[in-house]
Amino acid sequence: MSCQFVLAGGGTNSHAGAPSCPVSIPLSTASAFRTLLRLKQAVAEKFNVIDPSTLSFSPDGTTVSEDLPSLLQSTKPVTVLVDGHAVVDPPGPSGLPFLGSHTEVYPDHIGNHERLFQRYGSVFQTTVMGRTVYHTNDPEITGHVFKESAFFTKEINKDHPLFGVLSPHAGVFLTSTHTAIWKEAHKFMVPSMGPKAIDKHMVTVLAIVRSTFPVFDELERTRQAFNTYDLMLKLSSQIVGKLFIDADFGHFDAADAPIHITVRTIYKLLGLNKKVTSWGDWYTWLPFGDPKRLRDTWHEVGERVAAHIAQAKVGEGDVPLQEAAVKTENLTVDNKGNKLPAPTRQPALIVAVTAGFVTTSALLSWLLFGLTSYEGCQASILQELVDNGMSDTTEMTSTFISNLTFLDKYVKETQRHHTTSFQPARTARVDLVLPNGMRLPKGAVVIPEVHHLHHNPGVWDNPNRFDPGRWDTEQVKDRHRAAYIPFAMGPRMCIAMNFVLREVKTILVQLVWRYEFVRVNPTEPIEYDPMFQTIRPRNLYQTTRRRTEWPAPSQKAAAAV
Ligand code: HEM
């Protein structure tokens, strides 16, 4: 005996709107269905519905029943609803012939995605010159998308935003999950970002941030403003260059030191990738124009990074990242001192350097932007430093940094409100149905839109207000775990999250303690340059004033002594 079920709106294999073929569930296992949830699990598995709890059953096609015995005894196929309705395709703009929805999205993709979420709801699709992508700002769906499960994985297919820079050898970031090489590279690189390794990296970070002081002093002396992003690009690349490929880019040898050619080439690569992948799959492979420049630049980056690695001082082409990886006690899988296999070493290091400075420079720029834009924040950070006994020689230990609770909220709020966004994308492994009852075909690329998750009004109170205080509220503490994901989540999330947070806090502490930051173009609207891989303030100009006095400890701090 068996019981039959039919998915309303059409199964994942059916055409939209067509009824699915009924599926049978043998009742020989009826004893397994002691609860409705067990039945839902069995039916969800048949129809590839991600979340069984979203199913409901209608024996007559109109009324929903939760009566398990009558469902199992039904002589007609039972209609299955997901999220209370028939399964549908994600909506989206129909777009122009050939161009598709390109003009609906670019150039202002943040503003346009916001408009599309408002028009279509929490999942919509866009098709740009044959490349279809699904966007979501829903934490529940995001949580499933990032899981690396039977439903989703990071597979860089032709619709994926990283397709233009796909690298089968990089292991991390640019390589699909179901490859031996990702497992291997991940195993080596994660420990290099463990707590002990981070303590060690911080010695380098501190030395480099202090090496910027003469530059800030010189700029102040000569009354010059600086482009904050350019300066932070210099700082963050100086750090990852030293840490990962033992390169000294000389960015702080003088106030007007140029950005090193290796950094400029990587920077160019990311601009080209965003530009090329905003068009269709076929465009990526054109033998001329930007697609060709992208391939040539990728090659040039490889050669330049290889040259640095060859000159690295630690052993034969070994660099501190690998040294940390093999020595750190956090290394659990490979404790015999094995190194990354040679073909992966160089691409993995290119990724670490690239991922390392392109993102961090954007974050640091927004952090400095906030100091001069959000009233009271710079003063509160300074006051907290005074209250924690900061001096010019205070050691930047993890304990000192973690005691700075306002700074922590400030960094969190900056990462929420000024998401640097990577458009992290995952791919459907099978035809499936999302918890909101929308069907996706196998191979569908879903982008949890980080900026829009961080501004989802259903999750965040007054999302467009910059408010570090929100991190003390129960509403934010109890948020969905996928509502705030500046480093993505799941097995393919950023391996360097803890390093980055310690790094940017250390930098901010050092700079705010010594300088007051002032914005020189406060009324000019900030542009973010939509054709770049990260969201950064492109036209922010600031100056610094060397501090000569600091506030007294607050009453609370004085009372605690
Ligand atoms: C503000 C700084 C940073 C942010 C916001 C950030 C964000 C992210 C995000 C969102 C991802 C997921 C990408 C995806 O799913 O496609 C990622 C992955 C990754 N990040 Fe970061 N990142 C930062 C800094 C760094 C640094 C300093 C490193 C240096 C090692 C790094 C190394 C990586 C690597 C290797 C991956 C890929 C992991 C894998 O493939 O399994 N990131 N990062």
Side-chain angles (χ1 to χ4, degrees):
M1 268 217 9
S2 66
C3 185
Q4 295 210 311
F5 294 87
V6 63
L7 189 62
T12 47
N13 293 315
S14 319
H15 297 297
S20 66
C21 301
V23 300
S24 297
I25 297 201
L27 286 184
S28 52
T29 51
S31 58
F33 302 135
R34 275 202 211 99
T35 65
L36 193 62
L37 183 60
R38 294 300 295 271
L39 177 65
K40 287 182 181 182
Q41 284 164 344
V43 176
E45 201 179 311
K46 293 276 180 195
F47 289 116
N48 283 344
V49 177
I50 292 186
D51 182 353
S53 72
T54 58
L55 294 193
S56 50
F57 300 111
S58 172
D60 60 6
T62 48
T63 42
V64 168
S65 166
E66 299 203 335
D67 181 21
L68 186 59
S70 73
L71 288 171
L72 294 175
Q73 283 155 23
S74 174
T75 49
K76 287 197 297 183
V78 173
T79 300
V80 179
L81 303 168
V82 184
D83 198 28
H85 58 82
V87 169
V88 291
D89 288 319
S94 50
L96 303 166
F98 186 63
L99 275 178
S101 7
H102 191 270
T103 52
E104 290 268 3
V105 175
Y106 295 100
D108 174 20
H109 58 81
I110 293 188
N112 282 321
H113 282 148
E114 186 56 42
R115 183 176 54 77
L116 294 171
F117 278 122
Q118 278 171 19
R119 189 190 301 166
Y120 295 110
S122 61
V123 178
F124 65 86
Q125 60 161 304
T126 53
T127 301
V128 175
M129 298 171 100
R131 173 177 280 166
T132 299
V133 174
Y134 299 81
H135 311 257
T136 186
N137 68 351
D138 181 327
E140 186 60 33
I141 291 175
T142 297
H144 289 288
V145 168
F146 279 130
K147 248 183 205 157
E148 289 290 335
S149 63
F151 296 109
F152 284 103
T153 185
K154 181 164 177 176
E155 187 200 328
I156 306 176
N157 66 14
K158 68 177 180 52
D159 290 334
H160 196 284
L162 293 174
F163 188 60
V165 282
L166 166 74
S167 164
H169 294 298
V172 280
F173 221 116
L174 308 180
T175 308
S176 300
T177 306
H178 291 273
T179 54
I181 209 136
W182 172 71
K183 284 192 194 74
E184 180 109 51
H186 200 253
K187 182 180 80 177
F188 276 94
M189 292 179 83
V190 168
S192 73
M193 289 290 150
K196 288 216 164 127
I198 291 177
D199 279 343
K200 200 171 148 204
H201 298 334
M202 283 308 135
V203 176
T204 306
V205 170
L206 194 56
I208 292 177
V209 68
R210 287 185 172 152
S211 79
T212 68
F213 294 166
V215 167
F216 280 110
D217 293 344
E218 174 67 6
L219 290 171
E220 183 181 347
R221 196 184 61 75
T222 53
R223 296 170 177 273
Q224 289 182 69
F226 48 88
N227 178 298
T228 306
Y229 179 75
D230 288 349
L231 201 60
M232 291 304 105
L233 184 74
K234 281 183 168 184
L235 175 55
S236 50
S237 55
Q238 186 73 22
I239 291 170
V240 292
K242 186 67 200 153
L243 280 180
F244 301 159
I245 53 174
D246 197 25
D248 178 358
F249 295 136
H251 285 162
F252 297 99
D253 290 354
D256 59 356
I259 297 177
H260 193 278
I261 180 74
T262 301
V263 177
R264 275 188 282 135
T265 315
I266 293 176
Y267 181 85
K268 184 172 143 199
L269 177 79
L270 291 220
L272 281 167
N273 183 51
K274 178 79 189 168
K275 227 163 153 182
V276 169
T277 51
S278 72
W279 296 98
D281 166 34
W282 60 271
Y283 183 69
T284 314
W285 304 111
L286 277 188
F288 51 82
D290 281 342
K292 177 168 185 323
R293 270 193 283 281
L294 175 63
R295 288 190 293 277
D296 293 348
T297 311
W298 203 190
H299 186 70
E300 188 185 339
V301 166
E303 286 186 339
R304 292 197 179 282
V305 173
H308 291 293
I309 295 174
Q311 287 169 16
K313 286 193 203 79
V314 193
E316 289 168 73
D318 285 352
V319 294
L321 177 71
Q322 293 158 4
E323 192 200 13
V326 294
K327 287 196 182 152
T328 181
E329 289 168 24
N330 260 18
L331 189 61
T332 51
V333 187
D334 188 341
N335 53 9
K336 298 187 185 117
N338 295 328
K339 293 176 184 159
L340 278 165
T344 305
R345 198 175 303 175
Q346 185 188 313
L349 288 169
I350 294 175
V351 169
V353 171
T354 309
F357 80 75
V358 176
T359 47
T360 315
S361 52
L363 173 57
L364 282 169
S365 305
W366 288 118
L367 288 165
L368 296 188
F369 166 82
L371 295 182
T372 57
S373 306
Y374 301 120
E375 216 181 324
C377 286
Q378 183 162 200
S380 298
I381 292 171
L382 184 65
Q383 186 66 57
E384 185 167 68
L385 295 179
V386 171
D387 288 355
N388 279 274
M390 173 86 181
S391 74
D392 286 351
T393 54
T394 299
E395 282 190 44
M396 298 290 99
T397 60
S398 68
T399 311
F400 182 80
I401 296 291
S402 57
N403 282 339
L404 304 172
T405 52
F406 179 79
L407 180 65
D408 183 57
K409 288 181 277 181
Y410 178 74
V411 172
K412 283 195 172 97
E413 183 65 351
T414 302
Q415 287 207 285
R416 183 195 71 80
H417 192 42
H418 299 288
T419 305
T420 52
S421 172
F422 241 88
Q423 289 212 301
R426 300 292 182 267
T427 306
R429 300 182 71 185
V430 288
D431 294 338
L432 58 86
V433 182
L434 294 171
N436 65 355
M438 287 183 185
R439 74 166 81 68
L440 293 181
K442 179 178 176 182
V445 168
V446 184
I447 300 182
E449 294 286 352
V450 186
H451 172 92
H452 303 280
L453 278 155
H454 290 181
H455 289 81
N456 184 332
V459 177
W460 304 95
D461 196 23
N462 204 347
N464 289 320
R465 198 178 78 218
F466 185 88
D467 177 14
R470 73 170 76 240
W471 294 89
D472 286 328
T473 63
E474 292 309 311
Q475 186 194 1
V476 169
K477 284 182 188 161
D478 294 344
R479 69 188 180 277
H480 191 287
R481 68 201 168 82
Y484 175 71
I485 50 156
F487 296 97
M489 66 188 290
R492 299 300 304 263
M493 73 174 286
C494 185
I495 62 165
M497 179 176 85
N498 294 326
F499 165 73
V500 170
L501 292 175
R502 179 95 173 266
E503 177 194 18
V504 298
K505 287 177 182 176
T506 301
I507 291 171
L508 221 54
V509 165
Q510 288 293 315
L511 294 182
V512 172
W513 177 250
R514 193 175 159 102
Y515 300 105
E516 181 191 0
F517 282 77
V518 182
R519 187 169 164 195
V520 295
N521 59 341
T523 53
E524 199 180 314
I526 289 295
E527 289 160 11
Y528 72 89
D529 183 4
M531 284 301 162
F532 195 69
Q533 203 82 29
T534 52
I535 312 292
R536 71 254 157 88
R538 203 59 205 95
N539 56 334
L540 171 64
Y541 291 89
Q542 292 177 308
T543 53
T544 50
R545 286 189 210 125
R546 176 90 190 261
R547 291 190 196 278
T548 50
E549 49 187 38
W550 287 261
S554 66
Q555 282 184 350
K556 201 169 140 208
V561 175

